[in-house]
PDB file of all heavy atoms in Angstrom:
ATOM      1  N   THR A 301      24.048  34.505 -12.537  1.00  0.00           N
ATOM      2  CA  THR A 301      25.119  33.631 -13.003  1.00  0.00           C
ATOM      3  C   THR A 301      26.074  34.424 -13.889  1.00  0.00           C
ATOM      4  O   THR A 301      25.638  35.135 -14.800  1.00  0.00           O
ATOM      5  CB  THR A 301      24.545  32.448 -13.802  1.00  0.00           C
ATOM      6  OG1 THR A 301      23.588  31.752 -12.989  1.00  0.00           O
ATOM      7  CG2 THR A 301      25.637  31.482 -14.219  1.00  0.00           C
ATOM      8  N   TRP A 303      29.561  33.478 -15.922  1.00  0.00           N
ATOM      9  CA  TRP A 303      30.657  32.601 -16.378  1.00  0.00           C
ATOM     10  C   TRP A 303      31.536  33.486 -17.258  1.00  0.00           C
ATOM     11  O   TRP A 303      31.169  33.821 -18.376  1.00  0.00           O
ATOM     12  CB  TRP A 303      30.068  31.434 -17.149  1.00  0.00           C
ATOM     13  CG  TRP A 303      30.986  30.255 -17.280  1.00  0.00           C
ATOM     14  CD1 TRP A 303      32.313  30.196 -17.025  1.00  0.00           C
ATOM     15  CD2 TRP A 303      30.605  28.936 -17.694  1.00  0.00           C
ATOM     16  NE1 TRP A 303      32.818  28.945 -17.257  1.00  0.00           N
ATOM     17  CE2 TRP A 303      31.775  28.146 -17.662  1.00  0.00           C
ATOM     18  CE3 TRP A 303      29.403  28.355 -18.092  1.00  0.00           C
ATOM     19  CZ2 TRP A 303      31.765  26.805 -18.025  1.00  0.00           C
ATOM     20  CZ3 TRP A 303      29.397  27.029 -18.449  1.00  0.00           C
ATOM     21  CH2 TRP A 303      30.560  26.249 -18.419  1.00  0.00           C
ATOM     22  N   TYR A 310      31.950  35.771 -22.280  1.00  0.00           N
ATOM     23  CA  TYR A 310      31.230  35.436 -21.053  1.00  0.00           C
ATOM     24  C   TYR A 310      29.826  34.926 -21.374  1.00  0.00           C
ATOM     25  O   TYR A 310      29.317  35.085 -22.483  1.00  0.00           O
ATOM     26  CB  TYR A 310      31.127  36.652 -20.138  1.00  0.00           C
ATOM     27  CG  TYR A 310      30.451  37.852 -20.766  1.00  0.00           C
ATOM     28  CD1 TYR A 310      29.056  37.971 -20.827  1.00  0.00           C
ATOM     29  CD2 TYR A 310      31.210  38.892 -21.314  1.00  0.00           C
ATOM     30  CE1 TYR A 310      28.433  39.062 -21.418  1.00  0.00           C
ATOM     31  CE2 TYR A 310      30.600  39.997 -21.905  1.00  0.00           C
ATOM     32  CZ  TYR A 310      29.225  40.068 -21.946  1.00  0.00           C
ATOM     33  OH  TYR A 310      28.617  41.153 -22.544  1.00  0.00           O
ATOM     34  N   ILE A 311      29.194  34.332 -20.348  1.00  0.00           N
ATOM     35  CA  ILE A 311      27.773  33.985 -20.352  1.00  0.00           C
ATOM     36  C   ILE A 311      27.190  34.505 -19.036  1.00  0.00           C
ATOM     37  O   ILE A 311      27.772  34.285 -17.971  1.00  0.00           O
ATOM     38  CB  ILE A 311      27.543  32.462 -20.451  1.00  0.00           C
ATOM     39  CG1 ILE A 311      27.965  31.931 -21.828  1.00  0.00           C
ATOM     40  CG2 ILE A 311      26.080  32.111 -20.184  1.00  0.00           C
ATOM     41  CD1 ILE A 311      27.908  30.417 -21.941  1.00  0.00           C
ATOM     42  N   THR A 312      26.047  35.208 -19.105  1.00  0.00           N
ATOM     43  CA  THR A 312      25.412  35.717 -17.894  1.00  0.00           C
ATOM     44  C   THR A 312      23.908  35.482 -17.922  1.00  0.00           C
ATOM     45  O   THR A 312      23.294  35.396 -18.988  1.00  0.00           O
ATOM     46  CB  THR A 312      25.663  37.231 -17.698  1.00  0.00           C
ATOM     47  OG1 THR A 312      25.173  37.938 -18.848  1.00  0.00           O
ATOM     48  CG2 THR A 312      27.135  37.523 -17.512  1.00  0.00           C
ATOM     49  N   GLN A 313      23.323  35.394 -16.732  1.00  0.00           N
ATOM     50  CA  GLN A 313      21.875  35.352 -16.534  1.00  0.00           C
ATOM     51  C   GLN A 313      21.537  36.441 -15.527  1.00  0.00           C
ATOM     52  O   GLN A 313      22.077  36.443 -14.415  1.00  0.00           O
ATOM     53  CB  GLN A 313      21.431  33.988 -16.004  1.00  0.00           C
ATOM     54  CG  GLN A 313      21.727  32.813 -16.933  1.00  0.00           C
ATOM     55  CD  GLN A 313      21.424  31.482 -16.267  1.00  0.00           C
ATOM     56  OE1 GLN A 313      21.790  31.246 -15.120  1.00  0.00           O
ATOM     57  NE2 GLN A 313      20.767  30.595 -16.992  1.00  0.00           N
ATOM     58  N   SER A 314      20.662  37.373 -15.905  1.00  0.00           N
ATOM     59  CA  SER A 314      20.419  38.556 -15.080  1.00  0.00           C
ATOM     60  C   SER A 314      18.931  38.806 -14.844  1.00  0.00           C
ATOM     61  O   SER A 314      18.096  38.523 -15.707  1.00  0.00           O
ATOM     62  CB  SER A 314      21.029  39.802 -15.734  1.00  0.00           C
ATOM     63  OG  SER A 314      22.420  39.646 -15.953  1.00  0.00           O
ATOM     64  N   TYR A 320      13.985  39.886 -17.518  1.00  0.00           N
ATOM     65  CA  TYR A 320      15.206  39.095 -17.397  1.00  0.00           C
ATOM     66  C   TYR A 320      16.020  39.223 -18.685  1.00  0.00           C
ATOM     67  O   TYR A 320      15.451  39.355 -19.778  1.00  0.00           O
ATOM     68  CB  TYR A 320      14.881  37.623 -17.170  1.00  0.00           C
ATOM     69  CG  TYR A 320      14.056  37.329 -15.947  1.00  0.00           C
ATOM     70  CD1 TYR A 320      12.671  37.505 -15.962  1.00  0.00           C
ATOM     71  CD2 TYR A 320      14.637  36.851 -14.776  1.00  0.00           C
ATOM     72  CE1 TYR A 320      11.893  37.224 -14.844  1.00  0.00           C
ATOM     73  CE2 TYR A 320      13.869  36.566 -13.659  1.00  0.00           C
ATOM     74  CZ  TYR A 320      12.499  36.750 -13.694  1.00  0.00           C
ATOM     75  OH  TYR A 320      11.738  36.469 -12.590  1.00  0.00           O
ATOM     76  N   THR A 321      17.355  39.143 -18.567  1.00  0.00           N
ATOM     77  CA  THR A 321      18.229  39.154 -19.742  1.00  0.00           C
ATOM     78  C   THR A 321      19.229  38.015 -19.642  1.00  0.00           C
ATOM     79  O   THR A 321      19.823  37.779 -18.585  1.00  0.00           O
ATOM     80  CB  THR A 321      18.976  40.496 -19.869  1.00  0.00           C
ATOM     81  OG1 THR A 321      18.040  41.548 -20.092  1.00  0.00           O
ATOM     82  CG2 THR A 321      19.957  40.461 -21.048  1.00  0.00           C
ATOM     83  N   PHE A 322      19.422  37.332 -20.777  1.00  0.00           N
ATOM     84  CA  PHE A 322      20.361  36.218 -20.882  1.00  0.00           C
ATOM     85  C   PHE A 322      21.342  36.558 -22.010  1.00  0.00           C
ATOM     86  O   PHE A 322      20.927  36.789 -23.147  1.00  0.00           O
ATOM     87  CB  PHE A 322      19.615  34.923 -21.180  1.00  0.00           C
ATOM     88  CG  PHE A 322      18.524  34.638 -20.169  1.00  0.00           C
ATOM     89  CD1 PHE A 322      17.261  35.222 -20.307  1.00  0.00           C
ATOM     90  CD2 PHE A 322      18.762  33.817 -19.085  1.00  0.00           C
ATOM     91  CE1 PHE A 322      16.259  34.986 -19.373  1.00  0.00           C
ATOM     92  CE2 PHE A 322      17.760  33.574 -18.147  1.00  0.00           C
ATOM     93  CZ  PHE A 322      16.512  34.158 -18.297  1.00  0.00           C
ATOM     94  N   SER A 323      22.634  36.598 -21.683  1.00  0.00           N
ATOM     95  CA  SER A 323      23.625  37.101 -22.636  1.00  0.00           C
ATOM     96  C   SER A 323      24.770  36.119 -22.820  1.00  0.00           C
ATOM     97  O   SER A 323      25.132  35.371 -21.905  1.00  0.00           O
ATOM     98  CB  SER A 323      24.208  38.438 -22.154  1.00  0.00           C
ATOM     99  OG  SER A 323      23.211  39.399 -21.927  1.00  0.00           O
ATOM    100  N   GLN A 324      25.356  36.141 -24.017  1.00  0.00           N
ATOM    101  CA  GLN A 324      26.627  35.479 -24.261  1.00  0.00           C
ATOM    102  C   GLN A 324      27.439  36.367 -25.196  1.00  0.00           C
ATOM    103  O   GLN A 324      26.900  36.980 -26.113  1.00  0.00           O
ATOM    104  CB  GLN A 324      26.440  34.075 -24.858  1.00  0.00           C
ATOM    105  CG  GLN A 324      25.752  34.017 -26.207  1.00  0.00           C
ATOM    106  CD  GLN A 324      25.461  32.593 -26.647  1.00  0.00           C
ATOM    107  OE1 GLN A 324      24.911  31.785 -25.882  1.00  0.00           O
ATOM    108  NE2 GLN A 324      25.827  32.251 -27.872  1.00  0.00           N
ATOM    109  N   SER A 325      28.720  36.470 -24.921  1.00  0.00           N
ATOM    110  CA  SER A 325      29.603  37.303 -25.728  1.00  0.00           C
ATOM    111  C   SER A 325      30.801  36.479 -26.160  1.00  0.00           C
ATOM    112  O   SER A 325      31.457  35.845 -25.326  1.00  0.00           O
ATOM    113  CB  SER A 325      30.064  38.526 -24.937  1.00  0.00           C
ATOM    114  OG  SER A 325      30.994  39.300 -25.686  1.00  0.00           O
ATOM    115  N   ASN A 326      31.077  36.479 -27.448  1.00  0.00           N
ATOM    116  CA  ASN A 326      32.240  35.786 -28.004  1.00  0.00           C
ATOM    117  C   ASN A 326      33.087  36.798 -28.760  1.00  0.00           C
ATOM    118  O   ASN A 326      32.620  37.407 -29.726  1.00  0.00           O
ATOM    119  CB  ASN A 326      31.805  34.655 -28.946  1.00  0.00           C
ATOM    120  CG  ASN A 326      32.998  33.977 -29.593  1.00  0.00           C
ATOM    121  OD1 ASN A 326      33.860  33.440 -28.905  1.00  0.00           O
ATOM    122  ND2 ASN A 326      33.056  34.008 -30.916  1.00  0.00           N
ATOM    123  N   VAL A 329      31.410  40.101 -29.452  1.00  0.00           N
ATOM    124  CA  VAL A 329      30.117  40.096 -30.137  1.00  0.00           C
ATOM    125  C   VAL A 329      29.063  39.577 -29.154  1.00  0.00           C
ATOM    126  O   VAL A 329      29.100  38.413 -28.756  1.00  0.00           O
ATOM    127  CB  VAL A 329      30.143  39.226 -31.406  1.00  0.00           C
ATOM    128  CG1 VAL A 329      28.764  39.229 -32.071  1.00  0.00           C
ATOM    129  CG2 VAL A 329      31.212  39.723 -32.367  1.00  0.00           C
ATOM    130  N   ILE A 330      28.142  40.448 -28.778  1.00  0.00           N
ATOM    131  CA  ILE A 330      27.151  40.119 -27.751  1.00  0.00           C
ATOM    132  C   ILE A 330      25.842  39.675 -28.392  1.00  0.00           C
ATOM    133  O   ILE A 330      25.292  40.366 -29.254  1.00  0.00           O
ATOM    134  CB  ILE A 330      26.887  41.326 -26.840  1.00  0.00           C
ATOM    135  CG1 ILE A 330      28.190  41.779 -26.172  1.00  0.00           C
ATOM    136  CG2 ILE A 330      25.836  40.993 -25.783  1.00  0.00           C
ATOM    137  CD1 ILE A 330      28.058  43.059 -25.385  1.00  0.00           C
ATOM    138  N   ASP A 331      25.344  38.526 -27.967  1.00  0.00           N
ATOM    139  CA  ASP A 331      24.022  38.037 -28.363  1.00  0.00           C
ATOM    140  C   ASP A 331      23.219  37.802 -27.091  1.00  0.00           C
ATOM    141  O   ASP A 331      23.738  37.280 -26.103  1.00  0.00           O
ATOM    142  CB  ASP A 331      24.131  36.736 -29.157  1.00  0.00           C
ATOM    143  CG  ASP A 331      24.889  36.923 -30.466  1.00  0.00           C
ATOM    144  OD1 ASP A 331      24.352  37.581 -31.367  1.00  0.00           O
ATOM    145  OD2 ASP A 331      26.029  36.424 -30.562  1.00  0.00           O
ATOM    146  N   GLU A 332      21.948  38.175 -27.116  1.00  0.00           N
ATOM    147  CA  GLU A 332      21.145  38.026 -25.914  1.00  0.00           C
ATOM    148  C   GLU A 332      19.662  37.941 -26.224  1.00  0.00           C
ATOM    149  O   GLU A 332      19.223  38.263 -27.335  1.00  0.00           O
ATOM    150  CB  GLU A 332      21.406  39.190 -24.951  1.00  0.00           C
ATOM    151  CG  GLU A 332      21.082  40.557 -25.491  1.00  0.00           C
ATOM    152  CD  GLU A 332      21.542  41.668 -24.549  1.00  0.00           C
ATOM    153  OE1 GLU A 332      22.431  41.419 -23.702  1.00  0.00           O
ATOM    154  OE2 GLU A 332      21.007  42.787 -24.661  1.00  0.00           O
ATOM    155  N   VAL A 333      18.908  37.489 -25.222  1.00  0.00           N
ATOM    156  CA  VAL A 333      17.446  37.528 -25.258  1.00  0.00           C
ATOM    157  C   VAL A 333      16.967  38.162 -23.966  1.00  0.00           C
ATOM    158  O   VAL A 333      17.559  37.970 -22.895  1.00  0.00           O
ATOM    159  CB  VAL A 333      16.817  36.122 -25.433  1.00  0.00           C
ATOM    160  CG1 VAL A 333      17.095  35.575 -26.814  1.00  0.00           C
ATOM    161  CG2 VAL A 333      17.313  35.160 -24.355  1.00  0.00           C
ATOM    162  N   THR A 334      15.903  38.946 -24.065  1.00  0.00           N
ATOM    163  CA  THR A 334      15.325  39.626 -22.906  1.00  0.00           C
ATOM    164  C   THR A 334      13.816  39.415 -22.912  1.00  0.00           C
ATOM    165  O   THR A 334      13.184  39.472 -23.962  1.00  0.00           O
ATOM    166  CB  THR A 334      15.623  41.139 -22.934  1.00  0.00           C
ATOM    167  OG1 THR A 334      17.033  41.338 -22.817  1.00  0.00           O
ATOM    168  CG2 THR A 334      14.930  41.860 -21.790  1.00  0.00           C
ATOM    169  N   SER A 350      18.657  28.940 -19.400  1.00  0.00           N
ATOM    170  CA  SER A 350      19.065  29.374 -20.743  1.00  0.00           C
ATOM    171  C   SER A 350      19.678  28.212 -21.497  1.00  0.00           C
ATOM    172  O   SER A 350      20.218  27.278 -20.900  1.00  0.00           O
ATOM    173  CB  SER A 350      20.060  30.536 -20.661  1.00  0.00           C
ATOM    174  OG  SER A 350      21.266  30.133 -20.024  1.00  0.00           O
ATOM    175  N   ASN A 352      22.495  27.913 -24.377  1.00  0.00           N
ATOM    176  CA  ASN A 352      23.535  28.697 -25.022  1.00  0.00           C
ATOM    177  C   ASN A 352      24.252  27.828 -26.038  1.00  0.00           C
ATOM    178  O   ASN A 352      24.790  26.772 -25.689  1.00  0.00           O
ATOM    179  CB  ASN A 352      24.532  29.212 -23.989  1.00  0.00           C
ATOM    180  CG  ASN A 352      23.873  30.059 -22.910  1.00  0.00           C
ATOM    181  OD1 ASN A 352      23.325  29.531 -21.949  1.00  0.00           O
ATOM    182  ND2 ASN A 352      23.910  31.360 -23.068  1.00  0.00           N
ATOM    183  N   ILE A 357      20.790  31.336 -28.898  1.00  0.00           N
ATOM    184  CA  ILE A 357      20.640  31.562 -27.470  1.00  0.00           C
ATOM    185  C   ILE A 357      19.160  31.769 -27.194  1.00  0.00           C
ATOM    186  O   ILE A 357      18.457  32.433 -27.956  1.00  0.00           O
ATOM    187  CB  ILE A 357      21.459  32.777 -26.962  1.00  0.00           C
ATOM    188  CG1 ILE A 357      21.235  32.973 -25.438  1.00  0.00           C
ATOM    189  CG2 ILE A 357      21.113  34.052 -27.720  1.00  0.00           C
ATOM    190  CD1 ILE A 357      22.118  34.040 -24.829  1.00  0.00           C
ATOM    191  N   ASN A 358      18.669  31.143 -26.141  1.00  0.00           N
ATOM    192  CA  ASN A 358      17.286  31.353 -25.730  1.00  0.00           C
ATOM    193  C   ASN A 358      17.162  31.051 -24.242  1.00  0.00           C
ATOM    194  O   ASN A 358      18.113  30.568 -23.609  1.00  0.00           O
ATOM    195  CB  ASN A 358      16.299  30.511 -26.534  1.00  0.00           C
ATOM    196  CG  ASN A 358      14.888  31.088 -26.470  1.00  0.00           C
ATOM    197  OD1 ASN A 358      14.686  32.247 -26.097  1.00  0.00           O
ATOM    198  ND2 ASN A 358      13.883  30.300 -26.832  1.00  0.00           N
ATOM    199  N   ALA A 359      15.989  31.332 -23.687  1.00  0.00           N
ATOM    200  CA  ALA A 359      15.789  31.156 -22.254  1.00  0.00           C
ATOM    201  C   ALA A 359      14.328  30.841 -21.970  1.00  0.00           C
ATOM    202  O   ALA A 359      13.451  31.039 -22.816  1.00  0.00           O
ATOM    203  CB  ALA A 359      16.211  32.415 -21.506  1.00  0.00           C
ATOM    204  N   LEU A 375      30.261  29.993 -29.490  1.00  0.00           N
ATOM    205  CA  LEU A 375      30.232  30.187 -28.045  1.00  0.00           C
ATOM    206  C   LEU A 375      31.587  30.709 -27.579  1.00  0.00           C
ATOM    207  O   LEU A 375      32.622  30.366 -28.159  1.00  0.00           O
ATOM    208  CB  LEU A 375      29.936  28.873 -27.328  1.00  0.00           C
ATOM    209  CG  LEU A 375      28.477  28.476 -27.104  1.00  0.00           C
ATOM    210  CD1 LEU A 375      28.397  27.100 -26.478  1.00  0.00           C
ATOM    211  CD2 LEU A 375      27.781  29.496 -26.207  1.00  0.00           C
ATOM    212  N   PRO A 376      31.627  31.514 -26.543  1.00  0.00           N
ATOM    213  CA  PRO A 376      32.926  31.928 -26.003  1.00  0.00           C
ATOM    214  C   PRO A 376      33.663  30.730 -25.412  1.00  0.00           C
ATOM    215  O   PRO A 376      33.037  29.778 -24.933  1.00  0.00           O
ATOM    216  CB  PRO A 376      32.545  32.934 -24.918  1.00  0.00           C
ATOM    217  CG  PRO A 376      31.157  32.554 -24.510  1.00  0.00           C
ATOM    218  CD  PRO A 376      30.500  32.075 -25.771  1.00  0.00           C
TER     219      PRO A 376
END
Side-chain angles (χ1 to χ4, degrees):
T301 304
W303 199 347
Y310 58 82
I311 292 174
T312 58
Q313 298 173 314
S314 303
Y320 301 80
T321 296
F322 305 84
S323 304
Q324 62 187 49
S325 176
N326 177 59
V329 179
I330 302 173
D331 297 290
E332 60 188 21
V333 291
T334 296
S350 64
N352 302 83
I357 179 173
N358 201 17
L375 273 176

